[in-house]
Amino acid sequence: MFETIPNMHRTEARLIVQEQGQKPKEVGMVLPGLRRFSQHDQVRLNNWMANVVFNPTRGVFRESYMKSAAEALLRTGRYSPRTLVSLEVIPAYTRSLLGVRSLKEIAVERPSVLGPFELGTLVASKTTAPPTP
C-alpha cells in the first residue's frame, strides 16, 4: 500500500569547463548539444546517474561520456585542447525520518567530481583506442 522513502532526494550533474587563467563555468550536461536536462528528462538523468555514475562497475561508461563531452566541446570552437573539463555530480541522499526531525533537513548532499581532464587528452585517447571485438 505504501512505498518506501526514496534513497535519493535529488540529483544534479554538470560539466564544468575551466580555461587557463579564467574562472570555471558550467556548460551543460547532456549530449548531443551539451544542453541541460529538461524537467521532463529528469527521470532519464536519475536513471543514468544510478546506472552509470554511481555504479562502480561502470567506469567504462563514465570514460566514454567524458570523451564524447570533450569532443563536443572542442567542436564548438570555443575551447582549446588545453582547457580542463570536469563532471560535477551532486546527489542529495534522503535522511531518515529521525534525521529529518532532529536535523530539520530532508537530504544531505555528497558532491563528487570526475576530473579535471584536458580536452585534448580525452579526445586523443578516444581516437587511439583499439577497436573492441
Side-chain angles (χ1 to χ4, degrees), residues 8-28:
M8 292 269 203
H9 178 65
R10 73 184 174 326
T11 307
E12 293 178 41
R14 53 186 166 240
L15 281 172
I16 306 295
V17 174
Q18 183 171 13
E19 296 180 87
Q20 204 165 19
Q22 295 186 9
K23 285 183 166 184
K25 63 181 174 181
E26 182 180 336
V27 293

Side-chain angles (χ1 to χ4, degrees), residues 70-90:
E71 209 171 66
L73 288 167
L74 285 174
R75 253 195 325 267
T76 65
R78 289 181 270 175
Y79 306 103
S80 76
R82 306 269 311 162
T83 301
L84 299 176
V85 65
S86 302
L87 175 62
E88 188 176 275
V89 180
I90 308 167

Side-chain angles (χ1 to χ4, degrees), residues 86-102:
S86 302
L87 175 62
E88 188 176 275
V89 180
I90 308 167
Y93 293 95
T94 307
R95 289 207 178 274
S96 68
L97 291 175
L98 293 175
V100 171
R101 218 176 269 146
S102 62

Side-chain angles (χ1 to χ4, degrees), residues 19-70:
E19 296 180 87
Q20 204 165 19
Q22 295 186 9
K23 285 183 166 184
K25 63 181 174 181
E26 182 180 336
V27 293
M29 175 59 205
V30 184
L31 300 174
L34 297 168
R35 64 176 175 77
R36 286 182 158 277
F37 270 102
S38 72
Q39 192 64 27
H40 301 292
D41 289 337
Q42 198 64 38
V43 171
R44 283 182 42 215
L45 173 64
N46 288 336
N47 287 339
W48 183 76
M49 291 289 173
N51 293 322
V52 175
V53 175
F54 299 119
N55 188 334
T57 64
R58 302 270 178 105
V60 68
F61 293 113
R62 286 187 292 277
E63 183 180 336
S64 176
Y65 172 77
M66 291 304 292
K67 288 176 180 180
S68 297

